[in-house]
Tab-separated table of all heavy atoms in Angstrom:
chain	number	residue	atom	x	y	z
K	19	MET	N	0.781	-1.219	0.022
K	19	MET	CA	-0.007	0.006	0.011
K	19	MET	C	0.839	1.267	0.004
K	19	MET	O	0.387	2.307	-0.215
K	19	MET	CB	-0.933	-0.035	1.199
K	19	MET	CG	-1.956	-1.123	1.181
K	19	MET	SD	-2.876	-1.126	-0.298
K	19	MET	CE	-4.434	-0.538	0.235
K	20	ARG	N	2.170	1.148	0.234
K	20	ARG	CA	2.983	2.368	0.254
K	20	ARG	C	2.927	3.062	-1.122
K	20	ARG	O	3.063	4.290	-1.134
K	20	ARG	CB	4.428	1.926	0.634
K	20	ARG	CG	4.590	1.585	2.074
K	20	ARG	CD	6.059	1.311	2.363
K	20	ARG	NE	6.232	0.728	3.654
K	20	ARG	CZ	6.446	1.427	4.784
K	20	ARG	NH1	6.514	2.741	4.715
K	20	ARG	NH2	6.562	0.863	5.926
K	21	LYS	N	2.734	2.303	-2.152
K	21	LYS	CA	2.728	2.987	-3.486
K	21	LYS	C	1.506	3.879	-3.658
K	21	LYS	O	1.527	4.776	-4.435
K	21	LYS	CB	2.694	1.890	-4.567
K	21	LYS	CG	1.406	1.107	-4.605
K	21	LYS	CD	1.446	0.033	-5.721
K	21	LYS	CE	0.118	-0.668	-5.687
K	21	LYS	NZ	-0.043	-1.548	-6.784
K	22	ASN	N	0.491	3.694	-2.738
K	22	ASN	CA	-0.688	4.530	-2.844
K	22	ASN	C	-0.631	5.766	-1.879
K	22	ASN	O	-1.614	6.530	-1.889
K	22	ASN	CB	-1.944	3.735	-2.538
K	22	ASN	CG	-2.206	2.686	-3.586
K	22	ASN	OD1	-1.956	2.922	-4.727
K	22	ASN	ND2	-2.626	1.506	-3.149
K	23	ARG	N	0.400	5.868	-1.091
K	23	ARG	CA	0.553	6.998	-0.213
K	23	ARG	C	0.749	8.311	-0.973
K	23	ARG	O	1.324	8.348	-2.047
K	23	ARG	CB	1.752	6.816	0.733
K	23	ARG	CG	1.396	5.833	1.824
K	23	ARG	CD	2.432	5.863	2.898
K	23	ARG	NE	2.122	4.918	3.929
K	23	ARG	CZ	2.966	4.356	4.732
K	23	ARG	NH1	4.227	4.750	4.670
K	23	ARG	NH2	2.623	3.460	5.584
K	24	GLY	N	0.143	9.382	-0.431
K	24	GLY	CA	0.327	10.701	-0.978
K	24	GLY	C	-0.612	11.057	-2.076
K	24	GLY	O	-0.466	12.080	-2.722
K	25	ILE	N	-1.621	10.245	-2.329
K	25	ILE	CA	-2.534	10.563	-3.413
K	25	ILE	C	-3.890	11.138	-2.913
K	25	ILE	O	-4.767	11.426	-3.667
K	25	ILE	CB	-2.814	9.410	-4.352
K	25	ILE	CG1	-3.451	8.194	-3.648
K	25	ILE	CG2	-1.561	8.967	-5.044
K	25	ILE	CD1	-3.919	7.070	-4.550
K	26	GLY	N	-3.952	11.322	-1.579
K	26	GLY	CA	-5.126	11.962	-0.953
K	26	GLY	C	-6.268	11.090	-0.540
K	26	GLY	O	-7.243	11.668	0.026
K	27	VAL	N	-6.133	9.793	-0.615
K	27	VAL	CA	-7.253	8.926	-0.209
K	27	VAL	C	-7.461	8.953	1.290
K	27	VAL	O	-8.645	9.130	1.786
K	27	VAL	CB	-6.977	7.407	-0.632
K	27	VAL	CG1	-8.077	6.522	-0.064
K	27	VAL	CG2	-6.986	7.353	-2.204
K	28	GLY	N	-6.374	8.958	2.094
K	28	GLY	CA	-6.544	8.951	3.561
K	28	GLY	C	-7.100	10.286	4.015
K	28	GLY	O	-7.935	10.323	4.947
K	29	LYS	N	-6.597	11.396	3.402
K	29	LYS	CA	-7.095	12.693	3.836
K	29	LYS	C	-8.600	12.870	3.477
K	29	LYS	O	-9.389	13.343	4.295
K	29	LYS	CB	-6.325	13.777	3.068
K	29	LYS	CG	-6.589	15.167	3.572
K	29	LYS	CD	-5.634	16.129	2.955
K	29	LYS	CE	-5.780	17.480	3.520
K	29	LYS	NZ	-4.746	18.429	3.043
K	30	LYS	N	-9.020	12.358	2.353
K	30	LYS	CA	-10.432	12.434	1.926
K	30	LYS	C	-11.271	11.606	2.892
K	30	LYS	O	-12.288	11.994	3.378
K	30	LYS	CB	-10.656	11.881	0.559
K	30	LYS	CG	-12.074	12.103	0.043
K	30	LYS	CD	-12.143	11.766	-1.396
K	30	LYS	CE	-13.603	12.026	-1.870
K	30	LYS	NZ	-13.806	11.847	-3.276
K	31	LEU	N	-10.763	10.412	3.260
K	31	LEU	CA	-11.520	9.531	4.201
K	31	LEU	C	-11.605	10.210	5.516
K	31	LEU	O	-12.671	10.269	6.138
K	31	LEU	CB	-10.833	8.210	4.263
K	31	LEU	CG	-11.399	7.143	5.253
K	31	LEU	CD1	-12.830	6.862	4.902
K	31	LEU	CD2	-10.579	5.944	5.287
K	32	LEU	N	-10.550	10.704	6.076
K	32	LEU	CA	-10.564	11.328	7.388
K	32	LEU	C	-11.388	12.605	7.406
K	32	LEU	O	-12.174	12.802	8.375
K	32	LEU	CB	-9.086	11.668	7.776
K	32	LEU	CG	-8.932	12.200	9.220
K	32	LEU	CD1	-9.496	11.303	10.269
K	32	LEU	CD2	-7.461	12.474	9.537
K	33	ASN	N	-11.412	13.439	6.353
K	33	ASN	CA	-12.282	14.563	6.271
K	33	ASN	C	-13.754	14.173	6.216
K	33	ASN	O	-14.605	14.847	6.764
K	33	ASN	CB	-11.900	15.455	5.185
K	33	ASN	CG	-10.719	16.295	5.491
K	33	ASN	OD1	-10.491	16.762	6.616
K	33	ASN	ND2	-9.759	16.518	4.517
K	34	THR	N	-14.016	13.066	5.578
K	34	THR	CA	-15.402	12.525	5.498
K	34	THR	C	-15.886	12.158	6.896
K	34	THR	O	-16.977	12.444	7.314
K	34	THR	CB	-15.544	11.391	4.515
K	34	THR	OG1	-15.201	11.806	3.215
K	34	THR	CG2	-16.936	10.786	4.522
K	35	ILE	N	-14.982	11.464	7.603
K	35	ILE	CA	-15.400	11.081	8.980
K	35	ILE	C	-15.591	12.235	9.821
K	35	ILE	O	-16.620	12.365	10.653
K	35	ILE	CB	-14.201	10.187	9.574
K	35	ILE	CG1	-14.199	8.847	8.878
K	35	ILE	CG2	-14.388	9.993	11.107
K	35	ILE	CD1	-12.961	8.009	9.122
K	36	ILE	N	-14.727	13.265	9.758
K	36	ILE	CA	-14.891	14.520	10.514
K	36	ILE	C	-16.207	15.267	10.148
K	36	ILE	O	-16.984	15.617	11.050
K	36	ILE	CB	-13.689	15.478	10.241
K	36	ILE	CG1	-12.408	14.900	10.813
K	36	ILE	CG2	-13.986	16.858	10.856
K	36	ILE	CD1	-11.155	15.604	10.386
K	37	ASP	N	-16.510	15.323	8.913
K	37	ASP	CA	-17.801	15.955	8.441
K	37	ASP	C	-18.999	15.155	9.047
K	37	ASP	O	-19.995	15.848	9.456
K	37	ASP	CB	-17.864	16.000	6.968
K	37	ASP	CG	-16.943	16.998	6.330
K	37	ASP	OD1	-16.450	17.894	7.017
K	37	ASP	OD2	-16.654	16.908	5.119
K	38	LYS	N	-18.960	13.881	9.014
K	38	LYS	CA	-20.066	13.042	9.554
K	38	LYS	C	-20.236	13.250	11.081
K	38	LYS	O	-21.266	13.165	11.615
K	38	LYS	CB	-19.969	11.593	9.146
K	38	LYS	CG	-19.956	11.258	7.731
K	38	LYS	CD	-21.358	11.526	7.166
K	38	LYS	CE	-21.362	11.150	5.711
K	38	LYS	NZ	-22.694	11.383	5.098
K	39	ALA	N	-19.085	13.476	11.767
K	39	ALA	CA	-19.094	13.593	13.245
K	39	ALA	C	-19.626	15.003	13.696
K	39	ALA	O	-20.117	15.054	14.802
K	39	ALA	CB	-17.673	13.375	13.778
K	40	ARG	N	-19.488	15.976	12.804
K	40	ARG	CA	-19.963	17.280	13.182
K	40	ARG	C	-21.430	17.275	13.509
K	40	ARG	O	-22.203	16.585	12.870
K	40	ARG	CB	-19.737	18.280	12.037
K	40	ARG	CG	-18.239	18.597	11.851
K	40	ARG	CD	-18.080	19.811	10.912
K	40	ARG	NE	-16.703	19.820	10.414
K	40	ARG	CZ	-15.679	20.303	11.166
K	40	ARG	NH1	-15.880	20.742	12.407
K	40	ARG	NH2	-14.472	20.347	10.682
K	41	GLY	N	-21.831	17.960	14.574
K	41	GLY	CA	-23.182	17.926	15.028
K	41	GLY	C	-23.540	16.831	15.941
K	41	GLY	O	-24.568	16.858	16.622
K	42	SER	N	-22.652	15.865	16.074
K	42	SER	CA	-22.962	14.742	17.001
K	42	SER	C	-21.871	14.566	18.100
K	42	SER	O	-22.137	14.056	19.166
K	42	SER	CB	-22.971	13.409	16.257
K	42	SER	OG	-24.105	13.428	15.258
K	43	PHE	N	-20.694	15.008	17.832
K	43	PHE	CA	-19.589	14.825	18.762
K	43	PHE	C	-18.853	16.164	19.013
K	43	PHE	O	-18.815	17.018	18.141
K	43	PHE	CB	-18.561	13.823	18.217
K	43	PHE	CG	-19.145	12.461	18.056
K	43	PHE	CD1	-19.664	12.046	16.792
K	43	PHE	CD2	-19.202	11.555	19.109
K	43	PHE	CE1	-20.226	10.813	16.608
K	43	PHE	CE2	-19.741	10.327	18.904
K	43	PHE	CZ	-20.282	9.932	17.705
K	44	ARG	N	-18.332	16.299	20.217
K	44	ARG	CA	-17.593	17.503	20.575
K	44	ARG	C	-16.073	17.330	20.335
K	44	ARG	O	-15.340	18.276	20.077
K	44	ARG	CB	-17.778	17.903	22.038
K	44	ARG	CG	-19.183	18.325	22.293
K	44	ARG	CD	-19.394	18.650	23.719
K	44	ARG	NE	-20.771	19.013	23.920
K	44	ARG	CZ	-21.199	19.869	24.789
K	44	ARG	NH1	-20.364	20.449	25.648
K	44	ARG	NH2	-22.463	20.135	24.862
K	45	THR	N	-15.626	16.063	20.417
K	45	THR	CA	-14.215	15.780	20.292
K	45	THR	C	-14.041	14.458	19.539
K	45	THR	O	-14.750	13.526	19.783
K	45	THR	CB	-13.526	15.634	21.647
K	45	THR	OG1	-13.786	16.820	22.390
K	45	THR	CG2	-12.041	15.429	21.519
K	46	ILE	N	-13.033	14.416	18.680
K	46	ILE	CA	-12.609	13.190	18.083
K	46	ILE	C	-11.219	12.903	18.590
K	46	ILE	O	-10.359	13.724	18.555
K	46	ILE	CB	-12.552	13.289	16.556
K	46	ILE	CG1	-13.938	13.582	15.989
K	46	ILE	CG2	-11.969	11.960	15.950
K	46	ILE	CD1	-13.946	13.781	14.451
K	47	ARG	N	-11.036	11.650	19.148
K	47	ARG	CA	-9.789	11.235	19.665
K	47	ARG	C	-9.192	10.141	18.766
K	47	ARG	O	-9.927	9.218	18.382
K	47	ARG	CB	-9.839	10.730	21.047
K	47	ARG	CG	-10.310	11.710	22.032
K	47	ARG	CD	-10.412	11.117	23.481
K	47	ARG	NE	-10.983	12.114	24.390
K	47	ARG	CZ	-11.100	11.883	25.634
K	47	ARG	NH1	-10.828	10.700	26.131
K	47	ARG	NH2	-11.642	12.766	26.371
K	48	LEU	N	-7.951	10.242	18.434
K	48	LEU	CA	-7.279	9.208	17.670
K	48	LEU	C	-6.372	8.390	18.470
K	48	LEU	O	-5.680	8.886	19.380
K	48	LEU	CB	-6.467	9.878	16.515
K	48	LEU	CG	-7.308	10.739	15.547
K	48	LEU	CD1	-6.417	11.430	14.565
K	48	LEU	CD2	-8.315	9.863	14.811
K	49	LEU	N	-6.371	7.065	18.252
K	49	LEU	CA	-5.535	6.195	18.967
K	49	LEU	C	-4.056	6.590	18.735
K	49	LEU	O	-3.674	7.171	17.750
K	49	LEU	CB	-5.752	4.741	18.535
K	49	LEU	CG	-7.047	4.164	18.825
K	49	LEU	CD1	-7.169	2.678	18.304
K	49	LEU	CD2	-7.385	4.117	20.316
K	50	SER	N	-3.251	6.225	19.710
K	50	SER	CA	-1.863	6.639	19.708
K	50	SER	C	-1.096	6.123	18.428
K	50	SER	O	-1.340	5.017	18.072
K	50	SER	CB	-1.167	6.081	20.930
K	50	SER	OG	-1.704	6.730	22.084
K	51	THR	N	-0.309	7.010	17.946
K	51	THR	CA	0.504	6.617	16.827
K	51	THR	C	1.802	7.358	16.852
K	51	THR	O	1.863	8.474	17.387
K	51	THR	CB	-0.193	6.886	15.414
K	51	THR	OG1	0.666	6.360	14.395
K	51	THR	CG2	-0.400	8.353	15.190
K	52	ASP	N	2.886	6.767	16.324
K	52	ASP	CA	4.098	7.459	16.183
K	52	ASP	C	4.560	7.388	14.713
K	52	ASP	O	5.718	7.723	14.394
K	52	ASP	CB	5.211	6.891	17.062
K	52	ASP	CG	5.444	5.423	16.938
K	52	ASP	OD1	4.814	4.783	16.052
K	52	ASP	OD2	6.323	4.904	17.655
K	53	ASN	N	3.636	7.008	13.865
K	53	ASN	CA	3.877	6.923	12.358
K	53	ASN	C	3.965	8.319	11.853
K	53	ASN	O	2.919	9.053	11.912
K	53	ASN	CB	2.787	6.069	11.735
K	53	ASN	CG	2.942	5.993	10.248
K	53	ASN	OD1	3.084	7.035	9.574
K	53	ASN	ND2	2.848	4.781	9.708
K	54	PRO	N	5.066	8.752	11.317
K	54	PRO	CA	5.243	10.141	10.796
K	54	PRO	C	4.208	10.502	9.725
K	54	PRO	O	3.712	11.619	9.737
K	54	PRO	CB	6.612	10.164	10.277
K	54	PRO	CG	7.340	9.057	10.897
K	54	PRO	CD	6.345	8.016	11.167
K	55	ALA	N	3.885	9.610	8.821
K	55	ALA	CA	2.927	9.883	7.795
K	55	ALA	C	1.523	10.076	8.408
K	55	ALA	O	0.772	11.021	7.966
K	55	ALA	CB	2.881	8.736	6.771
K	56	ALA	N	1.184	9.294	9.349
K	56	ALA	CA	-0.174	9.452	9.995
K	56	ALA	C	-0.200	10.750	10.816
K	56	ALA	O	-1.196	11.515	10.768
K	56	ALA	CB	-0.397	8.281	10.966
K	57	VAL	N	0.905	11.032	11.540
K	57	VAL	CA	0.965	12.295	12.333
K	57	VAL	C	0.757	13.516	11.415
K	57	VAL	O	0.008	14.385	11.739
K	57	VAL	CB	2.272	12.388	13.110
K	57	VAL	CG1	2.457	13.747	13.706
K	57	VAL	CG2	2.365	11.319	14.192
K	58	ASN	N	1.440	13.517	10.284
K	58	ASN	CA	1.289	14.621	9.373
K	58	ASN	C	-0.121	14.761	8.822
K	58	ASN	O	-0.622	15.860	8.717
K	58	ASN	CB	2.284	14.454	8.162
K	58	ASN	CG	3.737	14.668	8.558
K	58	ASN	OD1	3.988	15.428	9.542
K	58	ASN	ND2	4.609	14.129	7.830
K	59	LEU	N	-0.751	13.635	8.497
K	59	LEU	CA	-2.116	13.645	8.046
K	59	LEU	C	-3.057	14.205	9.076
K	59	LEU	O	-3.891	15.072	8.799
K	59	LEU	CB	-2.589	12.254	7.648
K	59	LEU	CG	-4.071	12.036	7.306
K	59	LEU	CD1	-4.403	12.845	6.072
K	59	LEU	CD2	-4.370	10.554	7.090
K	60	TYR	N	-2.876	13.772	10.337
K	60	TYR	CA	-3.770	14.271	11.364
K	60	TYR	C	-3.616	15.728	11.565
K	60	TYR	O	-4.620	16.450	11.691
K	60	TYR	CB	-3.463	13.553	12.731
K	60	TYR	CG	-3.656	12.059	12.642
K	60	TYR	CD1	-3.000	11.210	13.543
K	60	TYR	CD2	-4.526	11.426	11.784
K	60	TYR	CE1	-3.184	9.850	13.577
K	60	TYR	CE2	-4.739	10.067	11.790
K	60	TYR	CZ	-4.029	9.292	12.648
K	60	TYR	OH	-4.203	7.926	12.681
K	61	ILE	N	-2.380	16.209	11.562
K	61	ILE	CA	-2.160	17.682	11.754
K	61	ILE	C	-2.738	18.488	10.570
K	61	ILE	O	-3.410	19.518	10.772
K	61	ILE	CB	-0.652	17.957	11.867
K	61	ILE	CG1	-0.102	17.300	13.111
K	61	ILE	CG2	-0.392	19.468	11.861
K	61	ILE	CD1	-0.680	17.689	14.436
K	62	GLU	N	-2.585	17.915	9.331
K	62	GLU	CA	-3.169	18.615	8.180
K	62	GLU	C	-4.699	18.705	8.209
K	62	GLU	O	-5.245	19.654	7.709
K	62	GLU	CB	-2.748	17.849	6.890
K	62	GLU	CG	-1.370	18.063	6.408
K	62	GLU	CD	-1.076	17.256	5.155
K	62	GLU	OE1	-1.981	17.043	4.356
K	62	GLU	OE2	0.157	16.906	5.015
K	63	CYS	N	-5.332	17.740	8.890
K	63	CYS	CA	-6.742	17.710	9.024
K	63	CYS	C	-7.291	18.487	10.259
K	63	CYS	O	-8.484	18.378	10.497
K	63	CYS	CB	-7.232	16.266	8.961
K	63	CYS	SG	-7.067	15.498	7.342
K	64	GLY	N	-6.385	19.161	11.008
K	64	GLY	CA	-6.852	19.952	12.044
K	64	GLY	C	-6.716	19.403	13.456
K	64	GLY	O	-7.154	20.019	14.427
K	65	PHE	N	-6.171	18.156	13.603
K	65	PHE	CA	-5.981	17.606	14.932
K	65	PHE	C	-4.806	18.157	15.582
K	65	PHE	O	-3.871	18.717	14.977
K	65	PHE	CB	-5.721	16.059	14.751
K	65	PHE	CG	-6.965	15.276	14.419
K	65	PHE	CD1	-7.488	15.248	13.102
K	65	PHE	CD2	-7.693	14.600	15.427
K	65	PHE	CE1	-8.592	14.532	12.795
K	65	PHE	CE2	-8.862	13.929	15.027
K	65	PHE	CZ	-9.289	13.855	13.762
K	66	SER	N	-4.800	18.161	16.927
K	66	SER	CA	-3.727	18.647	17.732
K	66	SER	C	-3.059	17.505	18.507
K	66	SER	O	-3.782	16.579	18.947
K	66	SER	CB	-4.183	19.648	18.803
K	66	SER	OG	-4.812	20.723	18.201
K	67	LYS	N	-1.777	17.490	18.584
K	67	LYS	CA	-1.062	16.413	19.362
K	67	LYS	C	-1.336	16.698	20.799
K	67	LYS	O	-1.298	17.782	21.289
K	67	LYS	CB	0.438	16.471	19.038
K	67	LYS	CG	1.234	15.340	19.688
K	67	LYS	CD	2.583	15.277	19.019
K	67	LYS	CE	3.430	14.154	19.701
K	67	LYS	NZ	2.817	12.885	19.900
K	68	VAL	N	-1.536	15.559	21.535
K	68	VAL	CA	-1.858	15.663	22.979
K	68	VAL	C	-1.033	14.625	23.718
K	68	VAL	O	-0.607	13.582	23.153
K	68	VAL	CB	-3.358	15.493	23.304
K	68	VAL	CG1	-4.213	16.604	22.739
K	68	VAL	CG2	-3.858	14.148	22.818
K	69	GLU	N	-0.851	14.872	24.978
K	69	GLU	CA	-0.215	13.911	25.859
K	69	GLU	C	-1.065	13.767	27.129
K	69	GLU	O	-1.753	14.736	27.483
K	69	GLU	CB	1.266	14.351	26.204
K	69	GLU	CG	2.179	14.325	24.955
K	69	GLU	CD	3.590	14.714	25.345
K	69	GLU	OE1	3.968	14.584	26.483
K	69	GLU	OE2	4.283	15.024	24.411
K	70	GLY	N	-1.036	12.658	27.753
K	70	GLY	CA	-1.714	12.445	28.951
K	70	GLY	C	-3.150	12.066	28.844
K	70	GLY	O	-3.911	11.978	29.819
K	71	ILE	N	-3.632	11.822	27.650
K	71	ILE	CA	-4.984	11.307	27.436
K	71	ILE	C	-4.839	9.838	27.049
K	71	ILE	O	-4.188	9.473	26.096
K	71	ILE	CB	-5.714	12.064	26.295
K	71	ILE	CG1	-5.912	13.562	26.700
K	71	ILE	CG2	-7.069	11.418	26.001
K	71	ILE	CD1	-6.569	14.413	25.660
K	72	HIS	N	-5.459	9.014	27.875
K	72	HIS	CA	-5.318	7.544	27.755
K	72	HIS	C	-5.571	7.054	26.289
K	72	HIS	O	-6.598	7.307	25.726
K	72	HIS	CB	-6.212	6.854	28.685
K	72	HIS	CG	-6.148	5.297	28.707
K	72	HIS	ND1	-4.992	4.693	29.113
K	72	HIS	CD2	-6.950	4.413	28.248
K	72	HIS	CE1	-5.223	3.416	28.999
K	72	HIS	NE2	-6.355	3.183	28.513
K	73	LYS	N	-4.539	6.391	25.718
K	73	LYS	CA	-4.599	5.799	24.365
K	73	LYS	C	-4.924	6.776	23.280
K	73	LYS	O	-5.437	6.383	22.243
K	73	LYS	CB	-5.618	4.667	24.371
K	73	LYS	CG	-5.222	3.439	25.213
K	73	LYS	CD	-6.161	2.267	24.942
K	73	LYS	CE	-5.768	1.121	25.802
K	73	LYS	NZ	-6.555	-0.034	25.560
K	74	ALA	N	-4.617	8.078	23.459
K	74	ALA	CA	-4.817	9.072	22.381
K	74	ALA	C	-3.605	9.850	22.114
K	74	ALA	O	-2.829	10.175	23.047
K	74	ALA	CB	-5.977	10.007	22.798
K	75	SER	N	-3.299	10.091	20.838
K	75	SER	CA	-2.175	10.869	20.514
K	75	SER	C	-2.587	12.219	19.925
K	75	SER	O	-1.828	13.174	19.944
K	75	SER	CB	-1.200	10.179	19.514
K	75	SER	OG	-1.884	9.872	18.314
K	76	HIS	N	-3.754	12.271	19.343
K	76	HIS	CA	-4.299	13.492	18.724
K	76	HIS	C	-5.742	13.587	18.945
K	76	HIS	O	-6.435	12.636	18.990
K	76	HIS	CB	-4.017	13.415	17.163
K	76	HIS	CG	-2.623	13.393	16.800
K	76	HIS	ND1	-1.850	12.283	16.854
K	76	HIS	CD2	-1.780	14.382	16.367
K	76	HIS	CE1	-0.585	12.582	16.542
K	76	HIS	NE2	-0.538	13.891	16.257
K	77	ILE	N	-6.213	14.897	19.089
K	77	ILE	CA	-7.588	15.113	19.226
K	77	ILE	C	-8.033	16.296	18.316
K	77	ILE	O	-7.190	17.121	17.911
K	77	ILE	CB	-8.044	15.530	20.666
K	77	ILE	CG1	-7.382	16.768	21.179
K	77	ILE	CG2	-7.736	14.340	21.620
K	77	ILE	CD1	-7.881	17.302	22.424
K	78	LEU	N	-9.281	16.353	17.976
K	78	LEU	CA	-9.844	17.433	17.251
K	78	LEU	C	-11.043	17.875	18.014
K	78	LEU	O	-11.999	17.125	18.237
K	78	LEU	CB	-10.305	16.973	15.798
K	78	LEU	CG	-11.009	18.015	14.966
K	78	LEU	CD1	-10.089	19.169	14.632
K	78	LEU	CD2	-11.559	17.377	13.679
K	79	GLU	N	-11.040	19.154	18.479
K	79	GLU	CA	-12.123	19.731	19.175
K	79	GLU	C	-13.062	20.404	18.172
K	79	GLU	O	-12.695	21.210	17.388
K	79	GLU	CB	-11.623	20.842	20.175
K	79	GLU	CG	-10.797	20.292	21.310
K	79	GLU	CD	-11.529	19.483	22.338
K	79	GLU	OE1	-12.708	19.610	22.405
K	79	GLU	OE2	-10.869	18.808	23.106
K	80	MET	N	-14.322	19.909	18.200
K	80	MET	CA	-15.312	20.549	17.297
K	80	MET	C	-15.716	21.864	17.892
K	80	MET	O	-15.832	21.995	19.071
K	80	MET	CB	-16.537	19.635	17.140
K	80	MET	CG	-16.246	18.218	16.669
K	80	MET	SD	-15.706	18.226	14.987
K	80	MET	CE	-15.769	16.522	14.696
K	81	SER	N	-16.011	22.837	17.061
K	81	SER	CA	-16.448	24.087	17.574
K	81	SER	C	-17.873	23.945	18.129
K	81	SER	O	-18.665	23.052	17.696
K	81	SER	CB	-16.432	25.168	16.526
K	81	SER	OG	-17.412	25.022	15.581
K	82	LYS	N	-18.241	24.780	19.056
K	82	LYS	CA	-19.564	24.716	19.612
K	82	LYS	C	-20.693	24.964	18.506
K	82	LYS	O	-21.727	24.375	18.547
K	82	LYS	CB	-19.726	25.737	20.741
K	82	LYS	CG	-20.772	25.522	21.720
K	82	LYS	CD	-20.673	26.349	22.915
K	82	LYS	CE	-21.582	25.788	23.968
K	82	LYS	NZ	-21.519	26.503	25.240
K	83	ALA	N	-20.345	25.806	17.545
K	83	ALA	CA	-21.298	26.080	16.493
K	83	ALA	C	-21.590	24.781	15.689
K	83	ALA	O	-22.681	24.663	15.109
K	83	ALA	CB	-20.726	27.195	15.587
K	84	ASP	N	-20.595	23.937	15.600
K	84	ASP	CA	-20.820	22.706	14.770
K	84	ASP	C	-21.840	21.736	15.508
K	84	ASP	O	-22.472	20.950	14.824
K	84	ASP	CB	-19.533	21.926	14.642
K	84	ASP	CG	-18.543	22.658	13.662
K	84	ASP	OD1	-18.995	23.409	12.820
K	84	ASP	OD2	-17.351	22.422	13.831
K	85	ILE	N	-21.963	21.860	16.786
K	85	ILE	CA	-22.749	20.937	17.617
K	85	ILE	C	-24.215	21.427	17.598
K	85	ILE	O	-25.130	20.647	17.638
K	85	ILE	CB	-22.197	20.766	18.975
K	85	ILE	CG1	-20.763	20.140	18.835
K	85	ILE	CG2	-23.049	19.835	19.906
K	85	ILE	CD1	-19.980	20.156	20.104
K	86	GLU	N	-24.384	22.687	17.648
K	86	GLU	CA	-25.745	23.263	17.804
K	86	GLU	C	-26.527	23.311	16.514
K	86	GLU	O	-26.098	23.224	15.471
K	86	GLU	CB	-25.650	24.638	18.464
K	86	GLU	CG	-25.081	24.582	19.823
K	86	GLU	CD	-24.775	25.906	20.459
K	86	GLU	OE1	-24.779	26.915	19.778
K	86	GLU	OE2	-24.559	25.885	21.675
């Protein structure tokens, strides 16, 4: 699957998940990863790196306007 990296499939999938979560969730937490490609993707999609949250390496806080 490495040959398919960098063509935007993962970013499109992650953004679709984020769009579907809007209005229903306040936070999306991602399981811990130290994979540099995954970390870059998460940051590009608006996630923040966190420490001290059990089994999470990145979170995305939805704005209050997205929930209401």
Side-chain angles (χ1 to χ4, degrees):
M19 295 306 252
R20 289 184 190 269
K21 66 179 180 173
N22 295 323
R23 283 192 181 157
I25 62 172
V27 174
K29 189 172 188 176
K30 186 173 183 175
L31 178 61
L32 187 54
N33 282 323
T34 298
I35 292 167
I36 292 167
D37 289 342
K38 295 291 182 183
R40 288 191 196 284
S42 299
F43 298 93
R44 293 180 182 210
T45 305
I46 298 175
R47 296 180 187 183
L48 299 174
L49 295 178
S50 296
T51 186
D52 58 1
N53 178 309
V57 169
N58 289 336
L59 173 63
Y60 299 155
I61 298 300
E62 284 180 27
C63 289
F65 286 81
S66 299
K67 185 163 178 50
V68 294
E69 293 183 18
I71 298 178
H72 182 66
K73 293 188 178 181
S75 62
H76 294 79
I77 62 169
L78 176 65
E79 296 286 345
M80 305 290 191
S81 74
K82 201 168 193 176
D84 290 335
I85 299 168
E86 296 173 347

